[in-house]
Amino acid sequence: MKLLEHQAKAQFRSEGIECPMGRVARTPGEAESAARELGEVVVKAQVPIGGRGKAGGVKVARSPEEARAAASQILQMEIRGYRVPAVLLEELLDIGQELYLGVTLDRDRRRLAVLLSFAGGMEIEDVAERTPEKIAKLWPDPFSGPLPFEIRQLTLNALASAQGEQVLERPRLLSLMVPLVQRLYQLCQRLDATLCEINPLVITRSGQLIAGDGKVEVDQNAEYRHQDLVRELGGDAEAASSGDDQLEVEARRRGLTYVHLGGDIGVVGNGAGLVMNTLDLVKQQGGSPANFLDIGGGAKAEVVRQALEMVLLDPEVKGIFVNIFGGITRGDEVAKGLIQARDELQIQLPLVVRMTGTREEEGRRLLEAAGITPAVSAPEAARRVVEMVAGAGR
Amino acid sequence: MSILLNSESRVLVQGMTGSEGTFHTQQMIEFGTKVVAGVSPGKGGSQHLERPVFDSVAEAVIATGATVSGVFVPPAFAADAIMEAAAAGLELVVCITELIPVNDMVRARAYVSSRGARLVGPNCPGLMSPGERSKVGIIPNQNGRPGPVGVVSRSGTLTYEIMQSLGAAGYGQSTAVGIGGDPVLGLSFSDVLELFAADPTTELVVMAGEIGGSDEERAAELIGRGYPKPVVGFISGRTAPPGKRMGHAGAIISGNTGSAASKVAALERAGVEVADTIEQIVERVSARLRRG
């Protein structure tokens, strides 16, 4: 779950991280009255993706009337497919310097990493690629969190590659960074987040550290602990997923592990690794997979039916490849489920089933009797489905 | 011989009294695994599957001398169960549970390392040493066959299929290890490769990776520095688009890391033959073992 900027900043504030004064507006009228309160403002589209500035989703307004006009414009925008449910109006900051501060999961180290750079305001991935030496990193012990001396060292390491004059004197910077990093790390733990990012972290000319923007991603596996946040997302959630692939949104609603890939051969299998390999086989044979769909272990007839139904929602699908490895799952049961599903859903498209493992012979006999093409080898099955789809297109 | 698990391993199962735990413990016992105890907090003193059940891992260890744990508890309690097993002094903890919050795993993983224990998983099928008649986890019993091939993989079903295909061609396994599909794992490919290197029964290793993270690249570095046995590689997810999670929580290409192309290239640079299909894995294993 990705929080919108205003939600991320509400979390920052609750942890004691300073943010600009701001108001959320869902109508141009609300924006105008917010600007009356705040003075000169920046009006920012609340969408769960980056690059909104380039898309025109961020505007400066010098008066309440300008704020109204800006909000009216932004609220009608669609940014890379995402509707804009709200704008955030914030006081203009007197920017002295822009830094990057983030806490993110580092898979290699199996820990959360703290990243600090004086090249703030840019996409951190770009900095990491072009000038990795400008990012200082710290991997705190997950039980103690980042310790003050570690944070001071992190700051000194980042300073070593900083260019230009510093707004803050070194002692002041070091003492301000310690509680800020601790709070951001603490927030990441409290929210079960895999990313808490402040970019830019603004140092104002008067020497304050303020979160210019905020990104928070809550681990999907931990959402059950954060139902308050899920509820808070509430009305914005639909808009927040409006730019997502709509077939994937539907699959999420149905509780299926599905990824839309845009080709014309629907793929269903059991086990993520096996399904990924099945996609690769289709591609190797010159076909184009429409989707990834993993029905998991112990597939029952009903699950098979739901999976085929989901695959068929995609109008581009012209053929289906089902690849099942029977371990504990029995081939004959899967076959029965498939035949039942085909009849119930009246599937006319080419359907190639490859199954192996427990009771594969029985399963194949059932499929053949029902007129479904069974196959023993997965590459062979991939070749057949690709041929059948190509043939049907002629 | 084998790695991590042998006929002497005394196994306890955390969450044995649950439905998954019950089913798979039965399968483990049928395979020949020495299952000595179950742990279910609050159910201590009872019997399940003709094994004593304890309230805590520590009690089970004192009473039965268990050395290995299989964790089948629900995701909300799994990280705690892993740490409990490590605290009780078990040498190997195998966690099958899927959907554990990743920050829970960050803590559990650090804790396990600090106790000197080894963790396999989570979100994994576990491991099997067919020649030792011992398995912990959910690898189907009929897929194991004793032999000289070490198998290490991130996936479940793909591991079973590789084992079955190798078996059908006459090549059994010393040990097959599913290291798991999560972003934060216990043993890495490199860890398992080092264990296989030191195991006299393992003559060749099949390593099946997938997109996401850079464990495969690090394993390639290890192999490139001089690995004593032939390795046959395999990478799934070559057609996966960036930014999409392909079923496994860890199977995602993020930014510049985790692509199949980068993994295949790293392995090939290290001199590993990378197969495109499971059939090719078997062919390459066969060619290598014949060559001797």
Side-chain angles (χ1 to χ4, degrees):
Chain A
M1 172 174 49
K2 281 183 186 170
L3 301 192
L4 296 172
E5 180 192 3
H6 72 87
Q7 292 159 336
K9 283 182 167 166
Q11 295 297 327
F12 286 174
R13 282 195 195 90
S14 72
E15 207 62 51
I17 296 169
E18 210 167 325
C19 301
M21 290 232 293
R23 296 278 179 277
V24 178
R26 290 188 162 71
T27 64
E30 282 175 21
E32 186 178 341
S33 52
R36 243 177 252 296
E37 225 177 297
L38 296 167
E40 290 188 347
V41 289
V42 57
V43 185
K44 300 196 271 187
Q46 297 298 287
V47 282
I49 43 152
R52 62 185 173 174
K54 279 184 206 127
V58 178
K59 292 186 194 307
V60 172
R62 303 282 172 195
S63 69
E65 292 71 29
E66 274 183 40
R68 181 188 187 93
S72 154
Q73 221 177 353
I74 293 172
L75 285 167
Q76 288 172 48
M77 288 175 71
E78 206 179 70
I79 299 177
R80 285 166 52 197
Y82 290 88
R83 292 201 303 277
V84 183
V87 289
L88 175 64
L89 295 97
E90 283 184 340
E91 62 173 327
L92 286 181
L93 295 176
D94 188 12
I95 297 171
Q97 246 181 312
E98 292 186 323
L99 279 59
Y100 171 95
L101 176 64
V103 179
T104 184
L105 180 69
D106 184 331
R107 295 174 57 156
D108 280 344
R109 302 271 182 148
R110 273 94 159 131
R111 287 187 175 193
L112 290 174
V114 182
L115 276 61
L116 175 66
S117 173
F118 281 80
M122 294 165 62
E123 289 287 331
I124 198 67
E125 290 82 5
D126 294 342
V127 180
E129 194 176 331
R130 271 182 247 142
T131 48
E133 70 282 358
K134 288 192 176 168
I135 303 174
K137 293 185 185 179
L138 168 67
W139 297 270
D141 180 311
F143 290 97
S144 63
L147 299 170
F149 77 89
E150 292 176 323
I151 298 168
R152 288 195 299 273
Q153 190 60 57
L154 174 82
T155 309
L156 292 168
N157 292 348
L159 265 175
S161 66
Q163 278 159 355
E165 217 167 300
Q166 294 301 315
V167 172
L168 285 172
E169 301 208 338
R170 183 169 296 203
R172 171 105 180 117
L173 177 68
L174 291 175
S175 69
L176 285 175
M177 285 307 293
V178 169
L180 176 63
V181 171
Q182 285 184 324
R183 284 166 186 165
L184 195 65
Y185 190 89
Q186 170 58 32
L187 182 67
C188 209
Q189 299 251 19
R190 179 165 66 76
L191 294 180
D192 290 304
T194 49
L195 175 73
C196 279
E197 185 182 87
I198 305 176
N199 188 23
L201 169 63
V202 172
I203 304 182
T204 63
R205 284 185 203 286
S206 54
Q208 284 176 293
L209 262 57
I210 299 182
D213 194 357
K215 234 188 231 175
V216 172
E217 287 182 31
V218 176
D219 175 15
Q220 207 179 329
N221 289 355
E223 277 177 21
Y224 70 93
R225 290 176 186 152
H226 302 284
Q227 286 308 306
D228 51 336
L229 274 179
V230 173
R231 268 195 302 278
E232 194 188 310
L233 224 59
D236 289 351
E238 198 201 331
S241 67
S242 61
D244 295 355
D245 185 289
Q246 290 308 297
L247 284 167
E248 291 178 9
V249 172
E250 178 59 24
R252 273 205 294 277
R253 202 183 61 75
R254 295 174 181 224
L256 293 169
T257 310
Y258 171 97
V259 178
H260 184 214
L261 300 170
D264 56 8
I265 296 174
V267 174
V268 176
N270 60 337
L274 183 78
V275 182
M276 271 190 270
N277 179 234
T278 309
L279 304 175
D280 295 351
L281 291 172
V282 169
K283 199 84 163 215
Q284 277 166 23
Q285 297 296 334
S288 178
N291 67 275
F292 168 104
L293 206 173
D294 175 12
I295 56 173
K300 301 264 157 36
E302 175 57 16
V303 179
V304 173
R305 198 187 64 80
Q306 285 173 2
L308 289 179
E309 202 171 44
M310 181 66 224
V311 167
L312 289 167
L313 287 180
D314 178 356
E316 300 298 318
V317 168
K318 298 195 175 63
I320 303 174
F321 179 8
V322 179
N323 189 4
I324 300 289
F325 180 84
I328 291 149
T329 318
R330 285 165 34 178
D332 53 347
E333 276 181 27
V334 174
K336 281 178 196 157
L338 279 168
I339 294 164
Q340 193 192 330
R342 184 204 53 181
D343 295 345
E344 276 179 35
L345 301 170
Q346 299 182 348
I347 298 173
Q348 309 286 338
L349 300 172
L351 175 62
V352 176
V353 180
R354 179 265 179 168
M355 58 165 68
T356 179
T358 314
R359 296 226 187 186
E360 59 180 62
E361 292 295 331
E362 292 91 328
R364 272 205 293 276
R365 268 201 298 276
L366 285 171
L367 290 175
E368 255 167 4
I372 297 174
T373 319
V376 185
S377 106
E380 163 67 11
R383 193 180 58 75
R384 280 165 79 172
V385 73
V386 169
E387 273 177 15
M388 286 164 88
V389 167
R394 269 184 225 124
Chain B
M1 285 286 283
S2 58
I3 63 165
L4 296 165
L5 196 67
N6 61 38
S7 58
E8 303 297 310
S9 302
R10 298 173 68 81
V11 178
L12 66 80
V13 177
Q14 291 172 266
M16 182 169 81
T17 57
S19 63
E20 292 280 305
T22 300
F23 177 76
H24 290 291
T25 304
Q26 277 168 337
Q27 295 287 312
M28 284 159 58
I29 293 167
E30 259 175 46
F31 191 72
T33 310
K34 277 199 183 122
V35 178
V36 295
V39 174
S40 291
K43 294 189 181 161
S46 61
Q47 290 268 320
H48 189 66
L49 305 177
E50 296 164 27
R51 266 73 180 169
V53 176
F54 297 88
D55 285 320
S56 73
V57 178
E59 286 173 17
V61 169
I62 291 166
T64 67
T67 53
V68 175
S69 170
V71 178
F72 285 87
V73 309
F77 314 104
D80 185 56
I82 291 169
M83 292 189 281
E84 183 185 358
L90 295 183
E91 56 195 44
L92 177 66
V93 186
V94 181
C95 183
I96 307 306
T97 310
E98 189 181 0
L99 301 173
I100 303 175
V102 67
N103 282 336
D104 288 13
M105 273 317 302
V106 166
R107 285 186 288 273
R109 160 71 205 222
Y111 189 90
V112 167
S113 301
S114 74
R115 297 283 167 147
R118 285 187 172 124
L119 171 68
V120 172
N123 188 11
C124 80
L127 69 164
M128 176 187 268
S129 298
E132 302 283 327
R133 303 308 298 164
S134 192
K135 80 158 186 179
V136 178
I138 61 175
I139 298 176
N141 290 357
Q142 71 270 22
N143 295 137
R145 175 186 168 131
V149 182
V151 176
V152 58
S153 166
R154 274 213 258 167
S155 149
T157 34
L158 209 51
T159 307
Y160 315 156
E161 185 158 2
I162 291 168
M163 293 171 74
Q164 183 185 267
S165 303
L166 286 171
Y171 301 102
Q173 307 90 38
S174 52
T175 301
V177 188
I179 60 172
D182 264 12
V184 173
L185 295 174
L187 294 189
S188 64
F189 278 117
S190 302
D191 296 330
V192 178
L193 281 169
E194 279 177 357
L195 293 168
F196 277 134
D199 173 45
T201 43
T202 304
E203 292 172 28
L204 175 150
V205 180
V206 171
M207 173 185 152
E210 65 188 30
I211 56 160
S214 50
D215 256 17
E216 290 83 355
E217 283 88 337
R218 288 149 77 94
E221 284 167 25
L222 174 88
I223 297 165
R225 287 196 292 272
Y227 191 73
K229 298 174 183 183
V231 178
V232 173
F234 183 78
I235 301 291
S236 43
R238 295 180 187 216
T239 49
K244 300 262 188 179
R245 220 167 271 284
M246 304 300 276
H248 283 153
I252 182 165
I253 302 168
S254 8
N256 306 318
T257 58
S259 77
S262 139
K263 292 170 192 296
V264 172
L267 286 168
E268 285 179 344
R269 264 199 310 278
V272 175
E273 293 182 86
V274 182
D276 290 331
T277 61
I278 292 173
E279 287 76 2
Q280 263 186 32
I281 295 178
V282 177
E283 284 165 25
R284 303 214 159 155
V285 167
S286 163
R288 282 304 190 124
L289 289 181
R290 264 206 309 270
R291 255 181 260 154

